[in-house]
Amino acid sequence: MAIERSQVEDIIKAVGGKDNIEASTHCVTRLRFALYDDKLVDKDALEQNDLVKGQFSSQGQYQVVIGPGLVDKVYDEMISITGGSRASKDDVKNAASKKQNPIQRAIKTLADIFIPILPAIVTAGLLLGINNILTGKGIFFEGMALVQVYPQWTDFAAIINTIASTAFTFLPALIGWSAVVRFGGSPLLGIVLGLILVHPDLLSAYGYADAVTKGTVPVWNLFGWEVNKIGYQGQVLPVLVSAYVLAHIEKFLNKKIADSFKLLLVAPITLLITGFLAFTVIGPVTFMIGNAITSGLVYVFDLAPALGGLIYGGLYSLLVITGMHHTFLAVDVQLIGTQGGTFLWPMLALSNIAQGAGALAMMLVLKEQKGKGLALTSSVSAFLGVTEPAIFGVNIRYKYPFVFAMIGSGIAGILLTVNHVMASSIGVGGIPGFLSIFPNNWGVFFIGMAIVLIVPFALTLMYGKLLTKRRQAAPANDSVQKDSLPQNTAIDVLEVRTPLRGRVVPLEQVPDPAFAERQMGQGIAVEPKDGKILAPFRGKVIHIMMKSKHALILEHSTGVQILVHVGINTVSLKGEGFTMHVETNQTVEQGQLLMEFDRDLIQKSGYPVITPVIVPDGQSMIESVEELPGEADDLQYTLMRIHLNSSSGHRN
C-alpha cells in the first residue's frame, strides 16, 4: 500500500501538530507518541485516515496502529515532515512516564520487567502443556496416562518436562536479569543474583512448608543470629526487591570508586552486600508478604468463587486497556510457585477468545471492506492470544462488541472459578491456552470456551444488525416527525438542494464506517448519474482538498457548513480525474458548477463513486437535520432540510 504525504500530515495534525509531540518512535505495527497534551488528539480525524487501523492511549503513550510493513514508511515520512529527531522506545517511554502517577509508574515498571522474559515463560508453558498431555490421567485412557500405557514414551516426556520446567526453576535468574536492566544495573549481576537465590545448597521454597511442619528448616548461624537457609524458587518479590537494591548499590559504587579499581571492587562488593541483605532481611520479609498476598487472593476466590470469576473474567479486558494486566503476570507466577497452579490464567485465555468472537461478529455487521478485513484478522489474532488488534482496532471503536465480550468472559469466569479450573503454567492465551490447563479440568474449560465463542458472537451480531436497521429507518421517521411541525414554528429551515443528479440514499449505504456510522455528522449520499458537482445553495467555498480535489466544504450565510465528498478513498487518485472550477474563499451561487469528476475512471480504479453530502458535527446553530432520500434527477430536488435554532438569529 502506497502512502500519501497528505495522509501522514493529517496524522500529525490529528495528534495535535508537531508542537504537541514530545517524542515519537514506532514498533512493528504502530506509531508511539509521547504527547504534551493528549486532549489535543482528534480521534475522529485519525479514524477517518486510511492509514490508521486503530488508536489508543496506554501507559502515557498515544499509540496509532498502522500495520506491519507500512509503519516504518509512515514514521520516516513523519520525521521528514516534522523535522524532529528519531527516538528509541525507551526515549518515548521515559518521556511518557513523566505524566504518570506513582501507581501507573509501578505498573509500567512491572510490565517493563516481565514483558522481556514473557517469551521464555510462554514457551515453558506450552511445553509443560505437551507434558501434561503425555502424563495426564484419563485423557486417552480411563484412569491411566499415556506414558503408563506406552512406557516407551516415559523418558521422552521426562526430557520435555526438564526443558519446560527450567524457566520456572530458574525464574529468579530471568527476573533478576530483566529487573536489574530496568533499574539501570549490569544484567550479568542480575542473573547471578537470581541464581544465588535458587542455589542447590538452599532448601527449596517448594519444600519449606513440610520442613516447617517437621522442624527441619536449615539455618545459618551468624554470630548467634539464625537465618533460614532457604531458596526462593517460584517467588517474585524477593528477587524484584533485591534487584532494585543491587542496581542502586552498583550505581553508587560506580560513582565513588576510581575506574582502575571498578573491575576488582564494584561487582564483588555489590553482590556481597545484596546477597547478605537478600538472605537476612529482604528475602524473609518479601517471602512473607508474597505468601500473604497469594493466600489472601486464594481465600477471596475460595470464599466467593462466582463473584471473583465474574469480576476478574468480566473485567480483564479493561485491565488490558489500562496496561494493568501486566501486573497479574507476577501474581500468576507467584500462584504457580506457592499453590502449584493459577486460577487466573484460564480466565485470561477465555477473555482473549471472547474479544475475538466479538470482533468476528463485526465482520458480518460491517459493510465496508476495510472494516471487514480488520475484524477478521484481529479476531484470528485474539483467538491465538493477542487481543490488542481486536480490542483497539474493532471492539472499542464500536463499543458494543467489547461490552458483549466482557459479558461472555464474565459468565465463563464464573464457570471456571466455581469448578476450580487451574493452569499449571503461563502459556499462550486464546484457544491454545488449553495446553496450560490441568487435563482433569479440560472438560469445564472447553465448556467455558464454547460460552465465550457463542455469547459475544451472537449478542454482537444480533445487536449490530438491529442497530443497522434502526439507523436505516431513522431518516424516514425523522421526516414524518418534522413534517408534522406547526407551520408557525420558530425554527428556521435551510433547504439543501442536490449538488448532483442521481439516486439519493441513506448514509448507511456508504461503504465507509466514518460516513455510514455518522462519525463525521448527519447527511445523505448520492449515487451519481453524471460527473458534475453544483452548489446546493448560495454561499462561500471555505475549504478544498487541493491535492486530491475530491472534496470541498461550502458555508451558507447562516453559518451552516456542508461537506461534499466525491467517492470513497478517492484521495488515493491524487487528483486524477477531478477538475476544480472554484477556489477557496470564492462566493458561489446556487447551481454554479463547482467541480467535475470522471465517473468511469474512479470506478475502473476500484473506488466507489457514491458521494456523501454531510453536515459536519459541532455546529451549534443547528437544531436538527431532516434527510430526504429519493431520485434527484431534478437539480432543484431537496436533499436535506436543516432546522436552525430559533435563538440563533439566522433567517433564510
Side-chain angles (χ1 to χ4, degrees):
M1 177 181 176
I3 62 172
E4 293 288 337
R5 187 178 179 88
S6 61
Q7 292 175 305
V8 181
E9 290 174 343
D10 289 342
I11 292 176
I12 297 169
K13 182 180 178 181
V15 297
K18 66 178 183 179
D19 292 336
N20 193 40
I21 301 174
E22 182 176 2
S24 66
T25 187
H26 72 89
C27 58
V28 178
T29 61
R30 66 197 68 172
L31 299 172
R32 297 172 179 265
F33 295 98
L35 302 176
Y36 289 108
D37 188 356
D38 285 358
K39 295 179 181 178
L40 297 180
V41 175
D42 187 343
K43 296 181 180 180
D44 291 338
L46 284 174
E47 287 188 2
Q48 295 160 22
N49 195 305
D50 289 339
L51 292 176
V52 178
K53 294 181 174 63
Q55 57 180 300
F56 59 95
S57 179
S58 178
Q59 299 179 8
Q61 297 181 38
Y62 203 89
Q63 303 185 28
V64 179
V65 182
I66 303 296
L70 194 62
V71 66
D72 53 342
K73 299 176 183 177
V74 173
Y75 182 72
D76 290 342
E77 188 70 24
M78 184 180 72
I79 294 298
S80 172
I81 294 171
T82 61
S85 59
R86 295 176 180 272
S88 67
K89 293 179 184 177
D90 289 337
D91 293 334
V92 174
K93 286 181 179 179
N94 291 335
S97 64
K98 298 175 184 177
K99 301 185 293 182
Q100 296 178 321
N101 59 44
I103 295 177
Q104 290 174 319
R105 286 197 291 271
I107 292 171
K108 176 182 177 296
T109 299
L110 281 176
D112 291 343
I113 291 171
F114 279 92
I115 289 177
I117 66 175
L118 195 55
I121 297 175
V122 168
T123 300
L126 286 173
L127 292 175
L128 283 175
I130 296 174
N131 179 71
N132 288 342
I133 294 175
L134 296 174
T135 59
K137 294 183 179 181
I139 299 176
F140 301 104
F141 306 98
E142 185 175 353
M144 298 185 70
L146 186 144
V147 293
Q148 291 176 307
V149 178
Y150 299 103
Q152 60 269 32
W153 284 90
T154 302
D155 289 338
F156 180 79
I159 292 175
I160 291 177
N161 185 60
T162 299
I163 297 171
S165 60
T166 297
F168 290 104
T169 301
F170 297 101
L171 183 63
L174 295 176
I175 296 175
W177 162 75
S178 188
V180 169
V181 170
R182 173 62 181 80
F183 296 134
S186 300
L188 284 177
L189 292 184
I191 294 173
V192 174
L193 172 65
L195 293 174
I196 289 172
L197 296 179
V198 291
H199 195 284
D201 286 349
L202 305 172
L203 171 67
S204 172
Y206 300 128
Y208 177 71
D210 289 338
V212 170
T213 302
K214 298 175 182 178
T216 58
V217 178
V219 297
W220 283 300
N221 192 312
L222 303 178
F223 308 104
W225 179 21
E226 290 189 344
V227 177
N228 287 340
K229 187 180 177 182
I230 62 172
Y232 294 99
Q233 291 83 355
Q235 297 291 314
V236 174
L237 286 179
V239 67
L240 279 179
V241 177
S242 298
Y244 178 84
V245 171
L246 181 144
H248 282 75
I249 292 175
E250 183 189 10
K251 287 189 286 187
F252 174 80
L253 293 176
N254 274 323
K255 293 178 181 178
K256 300 298 182 181
I257 296 177
D259 291 345
S260 56
F261 295 101
K262 283 183 179 179
L263 182 62
L264 294 175
L265 298 177
V266 172
I269 295 175
T270 299
L271 279 176
L272 192 63
I273 295 175
T274 307
F276 265 91
L277 289 174
F279 286 121
T280 59
V281 180
I282 298 173
V285 173
T286 55
F287 184 74
M288 180 175 61
I289 294 173
N291 285 336
I293 292 173
T294 54
S295 297
L297 195 61
V298 170
Y299 175 78
V300 170
F301 273 81
D302 284 343
L303 184 66
L307 181 61
L310 176 64
I311 294 174
Y312 190 79
L315 300 184
Y316 180 79
S317 296
L318 289 178
L319 297 178
V320 174
I321 294 176
T322 62
M324 290 182 64
H325 63 301
H326 295 304
T327 306
F328 286 88
L329 288 173
V331 178
D332 277 310
V333 171
Q334 185 78 18
L335 284 170
I336 292 170
T338 57
Q339 305 292 322
T342 172
F343 46 81
L344 298 179
W345 187 264
M347 289 184 279
L348 175 153
L350 294 190
S351 176
N352 291 350
I353 298 173
Q355 292 296 332
L360 184 63
M362 290 304 294
M363 186 187 70
L364 302 178
V365 173
L366 299 174
K367 297 180 180 179
E368 188 260 330
Q369 288 303 314
K370 177 184 175 182
K372 285 179 174 289
L374 180 59
L376 176 61
T377 55
S378 63
S379 66
V380 172
S381 173
F383 290 150
L384 295 178
V386 181
T387 56
E388 281 81 356
I391 289 177
F392 296 111
V394 180
N395 294 353
I396 283 293
R397 179 179 297 182
Y398 299 101
K399 297 183 179 63
Y400 61 91
F402 182 77
V403 173
F404 291 144
M406 288 198 298
I407 292 173
S409 59
I411 296 171
I414 294 174
L415 176 72
L416 296 187
T417 51
V418 167
N419 290 278
H420 306 290
V421 174
M422 301 275 282
S424 60
S425 60
I426 300 174
V428 176
I431 294 175
F434 80 92
L435 291 172
S436 298
I437 307 301
F438 284 110
N440 61 314
N441 296 147
W442 278 5
V444 177
F445 185 78
F446 286 138
I447 294 174
M449 190 180 293
I451 291 173
V452 294
L453 282 169
I454 295 171
V455 172
F457 183 87
L459 291 177
T460 300
L461 184 61
M462 288 188 295
Y463 184 79
K465 294 293 186 181
L466 177 62
L467 200 61
T468 300
K469 289 181 179 179
R470 285 180 177 176
R471 285 173 175 169
Q472 289 174 343
N477 293 337
D478 288 347
S479 177
V480 172
Q481 182 179 355
K482 301 305 179 186
D483 288 342
S484 64
L485 288 172
Q487 294 299 315
N488 60 352
T489 178
I491 298 178
D492 293 328
V493 178
L494 169 63
E495 290 198 346
V496 179
R497 306 293 183 181
T498 179
L500 70 169
R501 291 184 175 90
R503 189 167 70 94
V504 184
V505 297
L507 278 181
E508 283 77 11
Q509 296 188 23
V510 178
D512 186 318
F515 293 111
E517 295 169 12
R518 303 173 186 270
Q519 295 176 7
M520 299 178 65
Q522 299 296 310
I524 209 87
V526 181
E527 295 177 345
K529 292 183 178 180
D530 58 29
K532 294 182 179 181
I533 299 294
L534 307 177
F537 47 64
R538 186 181 188 279
K540 180 186 290 187
V541 179
I542 64 169
H543 183 72
I544 295 174
M545 298 293 292
M546 294 304 299
K547 293 182 179 180
S548 59
K549 302 177 183 178
H550 73 292
L552 53 80
I553 298 177
L554 294 178
E555 185 175 84
H556 190 261
S557 59
T558 58
V560 174
Q561 296 177 357
I562 298 292
L563 164 68
V564 181
H565 189 288
V566 178
I568 302 302
N569 295 327
T570 45
V571 65
S572 300
L573 293 174
K574 304 177 183 179
E576 185 181 0
F578 292 90
T579 303
M580 194 65 65
H581 293 286
V582 292
E583 298 177 350
T584 304
N585 294 324
Q586 180 178 337
T587 299
V588 296
E589 299 296 329
Q590 182 179 338
Q592 182 175 335
L593 181 63
L594 304 178
M595 77 161 83
E596 291 182 277
F597 59 91
D598 189 331
R599 290 175 65 249
D600 294 335
L601 174 63
I602 294 173
Q603 291 174 331
K604 287 178 182 178
S605 300
Y607 302 109
V609 76
I610 189 170
T611 299
V613 182
I614 300 294
V615 182
D617 283 338
Q619 300 185 52
S620 59
M621 77 287 294
I622 297 175
E623 173 74 21
S624 62
V625 178
E626 181 182 344
E627 304 161 0
L628 305 173
E631 288 292 333
D633 287 331
D634 182 357
L635 291 177
Q636 293 300 310
Y637 182 85
T638 301
L639 287 177
M640 292 179 284
R641 294 191 184 98
I642 300 176
H643 298 262
L644 306 178
N645 290 321
S646 58
S647 60
S648 66
H650 296 301
R651 289 288 183 269
N652 269 343

mmCIF file of all heavy atoms in Angstrom, residues 87 313 334:
data_model
loop_
_atom_site.group_PDB
_atom_site.id
_atom_site.type_symbol
_atom_site.label_atom_id
_atom_site.label_comp_id
_atom_site.label_asym_id
_atom_site.label_seq_id
_atom_site.Cartn_x
_atom_site.Cartn_y
_atom_site.Cartn_z
ATOM 1 N N ALA A 87 13.581 8.840 17.863
ATOM 2 C CA ALA A 87 13.676 8.468 19.278
ATOM 3 C C ALA A 87 13.563 6.958 19.402
ATOM 4 O O ALA A 87 12.967 6.288 18.551
ATOM 5 C CB ALA A 87 12.580 9.146 20.089
ATOM 6 N N GLY A 313 -12.918 -12.305 35.350
ATOM 7 C CA GLY A 313 -13.183 -12.747 33.985
ATOM 8 C C GLY A 313 -13.852 -11.671 33.151
ATOM 9 O O GLY A 313 -13.519 -11.468 31.984
ATOM 10 N N GLN A 334 3.553 -16.090 40.999
ATOM 11 C CA GLN A 334 3.569 -16.327 42.444
ATOM 12 C C GLN A 334 2.605 -17.447 42.820
ATOM 13 O O GLN A 334 2.925 -18.303 43.659
ATOM 14 C CB GLN A 334 3.191 -15.030 43.171
ATOM 15 C CG GLN A 334 3.272 -15.102 44.678
ATOM 16 C CD GLN A 334 4.697 -15.009 45.198
ATOM 17 O OE1 GLN A 334 5.582 -14.576 44.484
ATOM 18 N NE2 GLN A 334 4.913 -15.439 46.425
#
